[in-house]
Amino acid sequence: MATGVVFSFLLFDAKINMMGDDADYIIAADNLVENFSFPSGKGPLYPFLLSPFVAIFGNNIIVFKLLSAILIFLSVFFFYKALYKRVPNIILFSTLTLLAVNAYFLAFTNQVLSEPLFIFMQSLLLFYFVKYFGCEQAGEISFAKLCKRFLIISCLILLLTLSRTVGYAAIGVVMLYFLFTRKWKYAFYSVFSSGIVFGLYTLLKKLIWPVSGESYNLSGYFTKDPYSATKGMEDFSGLITRFLENTNNYISKFVAMFLGIRPVNTITPSWTISILVIALAALAFYWALKRNKSILFLSLYVALFCAANFIILHALWQQDRMVLAYAPFILLVLLSGIYFTFEGKRKLQFLYPTVIILLFCSTLFGHTIPKIEKNLPVLKGNLRGNEFAGLTPDWQSYLEVTRWAGKNIPDSLGIGARKPNTSRVYGNRNFIGIYAVPGVDKDTIKVLMPASSKIFLAVDVSKVKFDMLAPYTQYMFIGPLTINNASANSIALYEVNQDTLHIAIQALSQHNINYTLQVESLFSDVADDEKVVAYSPDELFENLKRQNIHYMIMASLRLNPAMYTGDIINTLQRYLYIVSFKYPHIIKRECYSSGSQEPAALLELNV
């Protein structure tokens, strides 16, 4: 424990993850404190745990991370208490030693995510289960006491599911354990008591938060594309493919890095490593089935939870925390497979401690110490009061502008941002998310055929913007199009009268700008080509007014977070670019800016 505390301190980082997941939990806790809003979505239990700390300390990242560290070390304590004298000591203390120096496991002490709470809850579940159900005496108690124990275990399973969606697999783990140990009634009791507890929870939640929505949207996990439900649901063969791909990726990359047998940032999966790891787990299950019920429970837990993750998680997500939340259980099961294989074979018994020494050295010197060396400048910056130490320049600029906006812009005026929840955590005020530039329905374009009283003028604005025609702008078309057989990726459509048309054509011809009055074929191309998107500057402008957005944070957030390439997330830039064709003076002034190569600025808008 002491070793783990020291290493977790050396790996400490005072900032939250810039991808925004941890900010979502903080905002959910904020909303719970301020509006008593149920934190629907992912891991609703974690915002409940955060909420009293939010109420007392505000959005204090250090406090939240200390809470995560406490949860992780409590989980180690209950893991130890659950298995001491129930598994061979050499397996248990080998596991604890390797965990104490493992940067990937200790990273959970440094997160503001639901995983530390989930890891704590699964250790608590393990502790209670092996204490009251993992021994022969469990069948000799009274029926009333037995019912009480099953209700408690079901409550622990409920809390596990409220920490992470995959927690539902615990019902299957408990049921299968009783089936393998031939306690048929207990298997039924476990499912029945879970039904009662989950039913009571649903009823209570409905009474307190009648319009809270679902805790999880499970259907979203089974779509072909997590970001486009219109592509339909995954079929059986697609789920099998996803399962196999995830199995190989998560085991041969993330589990292997956790074990120290593959280098940092491994990107190439290996079925050889995956099959070796699965074989070791199968050996542990085989021996435990006959000799150790605690390891049997852990084997079933690891198998079912990993299988559930590999089925429901989209292959493109691939985050190590999804599988390393089971790190203590995975490590003990794999070491059990090695230990039982060589147990009783005197000439081969030296192999187990040899494996432990090799794993210890590869983990400590190949992964943890390099991570500490990389983190030390960040830690020193944090200790000196620089909470942005370690951030890439794009995020430093963004958060500095966020801080300034939070302190200087009245709450009555909305601020648009690409990462509103992260901005809210650091700016201590609400920000309005602008995640996309909404286009118009293509059916609108199909009925835009010119009438006798209307004159449409389409102009190639790929290289130049024509402000004299701004008041007449109807639509912007972005995509692979042509005007007069010449390619154009940005076309503005204007509705003009005869007098304006004459002046415009003269100016366009003078500047050699491509245009056409024959727009029927253009309308057809726009309507039929999926690569072309139509935008309405008026609709985008009205959207700003409707949401009371008077300011925008214009940032240079990297498209590739790992390195500077010049490519940025340009959602807000594109938004204002399109609006500016109808409203060229949409930007009133720049209020504040930060950064040079990767700058950010707060813009005041004319709305």
Side-chain angles (χ1 to χ4, degrees):
M1 292 284 275
T3 304
V5 169
V6 171
F7 277 100
S8 66
F9 171 75
L10 293 174
L11 291 164
F12 182 77
D13 183 2
K15 59 184 178 294
I16 62 174
N17 188 299
M18 293 300 111
M19 297 307 292
D21 286 357
D22 33 14
D24 293 344
Y25 288 112
I26 297 172
I27 300 310
D30 269 340
N31 293 333
L32 181 62
V33 171
E34 295 175 5
N35 309 313
F36 199 56
S37 302
F38 184 83
S40 296
K42 52 189 178 182
L45 184 62
Y46 186 51
F48 272 98
L49 177 65
L50 283 182
S51 58
F53 297 94
V54 169
I56 297 170
F57 301 103
N59 292 337
N60 191 312
I61 308 301
I62 306 297
V63 170
F64 300 155
K65 293 200 170 190
L66 287 176
L67 176 62
S68 293
I70 291 170
L71 288 171
I72 290 299
F73 288 112
L74 281 176
S75 76
V76 173
F77 173 77
F78 280 105
F79 178 77
Y80 160 75
K81 293 293 288 184
L83 299 177
Y84 183 59
K85 295 184 178 180
R86 292 189 174 92
V87 303
N89 277 344
I90 192 170
I91 299 177
L92 176 59
F93 285 97
S94 298
T95 302
L96 293 172
T97 301
L98 292 174
L99 288 175
V101 298
N102 192 291
Y104 298 100
F105 178 68
L106 295 175
F108 288 114
T109 67
N110 195 20
Q111 292 181 353
V112 188
L113 295 166
S114 65
E115 274 72 26
L117 176 59
F118 176 84
I119 293 169
F120 168 72
M121 290 308 310
Q122 72 180 0
S123 289
L124 199 59
L125 174 67
L126 172 69
F127 170 76
Y128 189 87
F129 188 86
V130 299
K131 182 176 181 179
Y132 292 109
F133 294 101
C135 55
E136 295 299 333
Q137 292 76 16
E140 301 173 3
I141 63 174
S142 66
F143 181 73
K145 187 173 286 187
L146 187 64
C147 289
K148 177 182 176 182
R149 290 181 179 178
F150 271 108
L151 288 174
I152 291 175
I153 207 73
S154 296
C155 287
L156 291 174
I157 292 173
L158 172 64
L159 294 176
L160 199 64
T161 66
L162 295 176
S163 302
R164 281 181 65 179
T165 314
V166 75
Y168 287 103
I171 300 173
V173 173
V174 172
M175 182 186 70
L176 280 177
Y177 174 85
F178 289 131
L179 291 177
F180 276 111
T181 53
R182 300 177 183 275
K183 295 181 179 179
W184 320 115
K185 290 183 179 179
Y186 280 20
F188 170 75
Y189 293 159
S190 65
V191 176
F192 185 73
S193 63
S194 294
I196 292 175
V197 169
F198 277 75
L200 289 173
Y201 160 73
T202 302
L203 178 62
L204 183 63
K205 176 170 166 281
K206 200 72 176 176
L207 290 173
I208 300 175
W209 293 281
V211 292
S212 61
E214 298 296 326
S215 297
Y216 298 106
N217 179 17
L218 293 176
S219 62
Y221 290 100
F222 296 101
T223 57
K224 290 184 178 181
D225 187 335
Y227 306 110
S228 179
T230 58
K231 294 182 180 179
M233 306 300 288
E234 193 67 86
D235 56 21
F236 180 74
S237 63
L239 290 175
I240 295 297
T241 301
R242 178 196 294 186
F243 173 77
L244 293 174
E245 187 176 346
N246 279 336
T247 298
N248 194 22
N249 279 319
Y250 278 96
I251 293 178
S252 70
K253 290 162 60 175
F254 302 134
V255 173
M257 283 192 293
F258 162 71
L259 294 173
I261 61 177
R262 298 197 79 181
V264 178
N265 297 326
T266 294
I267 60 173
T268 306
S270 167
W271 270 113
T272 301
I273 294 176
S274 295
I275 291 171
L276 177 62
V277 171
I278 293 170
L280 276 177
L283 278 173
F285 173 77
Y286 171 75
W287 291 113
L289 193 59
K290 299 187 294 183
R291 303 174 58 179
N292 193 295
K293 291 183 178 180
S294 296
I295 297 177
L296 173 63
F297 180 83
L298 289 172
S299 300
L300 290 171
Y301 189 99
V302 168
L304 260 69
F305 272 77
C306 285
N309 265 325
F310 299 160
I311 291 172
I312 67 175
L313 294 176
H314 288 275
L316 59 86
W317 286 342
Q318 289 195 38
Q319 297 182 39
D320 59 359
R321 63 188 174 94
M322 297 298 182
V323 69
L324 294 188
Y326 322 120
F329 292 9
I330 290 173
L331 184 56
L332 189 136
V333 167
L334 295 178
L335 294 183
S336 299
I338 298 171
Y339 174 81
F340 286 127
T341 299
F342 299 127
E343 186 187 29
K345 300 177 178 66
R346 285 185 173 273
K347 293 183 179 181
L348 298 177
Q349 284 184 347
F350 75 94
L351 289 174
Y352 181 83
T354 300
V355 169
I356 299 304
I357 292 171
L358 290 174
L359 291 179
F360 180 87
C361 292
S362 62
T363 298
L364 180 60
F365 298 109
H367 293 260
T368 302
I369 288 180
K371 285 180 177 289
I372 288 173
E373 291 174 345
K374 184 178 179 180
N375 188 64
L376 281 177
V378 177
L379 180 61
K380 290 177 182 178
N382 293 157
L383 294 175
R384 291 169 182 165
N386 180 8
E387 62 180 317
F388 297 156
L391 285 175
T392 52
D394 57 326
W395 275 108
Q396 288 188 27
S397 302
Y398 180 82
L399 293 182
E400 285 173 8
V401 171
T402 288
R403 273 281 166 81
W404 190 92
K407 293 177 180 178
N408 294 277
I409 304 302
D411 290 344
S412 59
L413 300 176
I415 303 175
R418 184 62 179 80
K419 299 287 185 178
N421 285 353
T422 304
S423 293
R424 179 171 170 179
V425 170
Y426 285 96
N428 291 313
R429 58 155 291 159
N430 285 325
F431 290 78
I432 301 167
I434 299 178
Y435 306 105
V437 185
V440 299
D441 191 340
K442 290 294 189 72
D443 290 338
T444 305
I445 308 302
K446 290 179 181 179
V447 298
L448 260 182
M449 304 308 290
S452 57
S453 59
K454 292 183 178 180
I455 302 173
F456 286 103
L457 174 65
V459 179
D460 179 2
V461 291
S462 305
K463 298 179 180 179
V464 64
K465 186 165 63 173
F466 227 60
D467 285 349
M468 68 168 289
L469 290 174
Y472 308 99
T473 309
Q474 297 299 307
Y475 292 97
M476 283 288 300
F477 304 136
I478 309 293
L481 290 164
T482 60
I483 289 184
N484 300 323
N485 298 320
S487 61
N489 54 33
S490 297
I491 295 177
L493 182 71
Y494 304 102
E495 183 183 335
V496 298
N497 55 39
Q498 193 65 50
D499 294 337
T500 304
L501 176 64
H502 177 70
I503 299 172
I505 288 177
Q506 279 188 334
L508 292 169
S509 300
Q510 182 180 353
H511 291 87
N512 199 27
I513 298 173
N514 201 1
Y515 70 91
T516 183
L517 293 168
Q518 306 302 317
V519 295
E520 290 87 347
S521 61
L522 174 64
F523 290 165
S524 177
D525 291 343
V526 170
D528 296 337
D529 193 339
E530 293 182 357
K531 296 180 181 179
V532 178
V533 184
Y535 300 99
S536 168
D538 279 322
E539 288 185 12
L540 297 181
F541 182 78
E542 289 301 318
N543 185 50
L544 295 176
K545 293 176 65 176
R546 185 168 56 252
Q547 297 190 78
N548 191 37
I549 297 176
H550 289 262
Y551 296 85
M552 271 193 187
I553 298 179
M554 203 62 60
S556 304
L557 300 178
R558 298 176 182 179
L559 203 58
N560 178 2
M563 60 186 298
Y564 173 72
T565 63
D567 296 323
I568 65 171
I569 301 172
N570 61 0
T571 308
L572 274 68
Q573 285 88 341
R574 287 187 292 114
Y575 196 108
L576 289 188
Y577 169 74
I578 293 168
V579 171
S580 68
F581 273 87
K582 182 68 176 280
Y583 305 94
H585 304 294
I586 180 65
I587 298 174
K588 185 175 183 179
R589 67 187 178 104
E590 181 182 288
C591 302
Y592 183 80
S593 64
S594 176
S596 54
Q597 186 180 56
E598 301 177 74
L602 181 70
L603 305 180
E604 184 178 4
L605 308 180
N606 280 309
V607 293

